[in-house]
Amino acid sequence: MVDETNASASRESSDPVSSVPDPGHADKPTQKRWVGVVIATGLAMGAAGIAGLVLTGMQDKAIYSKPVDQLLAQRGKFVGRPVRAEGNLVHGSLVKREQPCEYRFSIASGGIELPVRFAQCVVPDTFRDVPDIDVGVTVEGELQANDSFEATSVLAKCPSKYEMKQKKQQGEQMPHGPLATRESGERRSAAAALGARAP
């Protein structure tokens, strides 16, 4: 019986499988590293894919804003696409038509003019043709193949208070002064009455 016990013990010690260490224990740190690398790579690829889709989608929706001269110099890039054109209102070009209700005018920058059609009846209050005052205008819409502009919105830039002070000193009048209202007149009257009572 002793021989059988020794024989079975020698078989267990000479068994090549039992003498090799368990691969699951020795490679756990290496395996964890690989799993981390695979997960990080997958996340990075997913983020890059999402960023690519967002940027590609936004590229079609982007609206460029260019001065008239630059817009017309690069007309091939902007024809038929949403774009903003910036310039000064050309004096004497502002015309309102009743049938169909629309405004037609020209804006210019760098010595180049762009005819604009705005097919709506309402424009900003500050959009007026005032002699001797440059009115900055930004129109949004599409540049046409015939070098005209179909506007969907019109923004007029008012001169700043500093510019208006300079122009007033030169004898010019404010083109878009505050409107006198009944309420503001009443406030002035009340202020004058209070001032008259003061000792």
Side-chain angles (χ1 to χ4, degrees):
M1 180 107 165
V2 172
D3 287 334
E4 281 181 34
T5 309
N6 284 343
S8 93
S10 70
R11 267 188 258 137
E12 287 175 10
S13 65
S14 65
D15 187 14
V17 175
S18 64
S19 66
V20 176
D22 182 18
H25 295 301
D27 290 334
K28 288 263 186 205
T30 306
Q31 218 175 16
K32 285 182 183 178
R33 275 188 245 138
W34 278 106
V35 169
V37 169
V38 168
I39 289 173
T41 303
L43 289 174
M45 289 174 63
I50 290 171
L53 288 173
V54 168
L55 292 175
T56 303
M58 286 176 53
Q59 199 170 29
D60 295 337
K61 305 291 183 209
I63 296 178
Y64 291 94
S65 185
K66 297 280 186 182
V68 170
D69 55 339
Q70 291 179 17
L71 182 69
L72 292 176
Q74 302 172 3
R75 69 178 48 90
K77 184 178 178 182
F78 298 110
V79 169
R81 294 185 65 189
V83 67
R84 287 187 184 125
E86 301 170 349
N88 288 328
L89 179 65
V90 175
H91 293 291
S93 69
L94 180 60
V95 177
K96 181 182 180 186
R97 292 179 50 187
E98 296 298 329
Q99 292 296 327
C101 190
E102 68 180 13
Y103 283 87
R104 290 183 183 244
F105 54 94
S106 293
I107 58 174
S109 72
I112 297 178
E113 290 186 19
L114 176 67
V116 178
R117 178 179 173 267
F118 181 60
Q120 294 184 21
C121 296
V122 180
V123 294
D125 291 339
T126 56
F127 185 61
R128 299 180 189 168
D129 189 1
V130 181
D132 300 326
I133 294 181
D134 291 331
V135 177
V137 180
T138 300
V139 291
E140 186 174 322
E142 288 186 3
L143 180 64
Q144 305 297 304
N146 64 356
D147 290 344
S148 66
F149 198 88
E150 269 310 302
T152 55
S153 70
V154 175
L155 302 169
K157 300 174 190 168
C158 294
S160 70
K161 289 180 182 180
Y162 176 74
E163 291 172 325
M164 289 312 303
K165 282 181 183 179
Q166 284 184 329
K167 291 180 183 213
K168 189 173 182 179
Q169 289 173 353
Q170 296 169 356
E172 294 181 29
Q173 290 191 0
M174 196 166 162
H176 315 295
L179 298 174
T181 62
R182 188 174 144 213
E183 184 180 320
S184 63
E186 289 172 358
R187 275 194 235 139
R188 278 190 232 121
S189 299
L194 289 174
R197 287 189 224 158

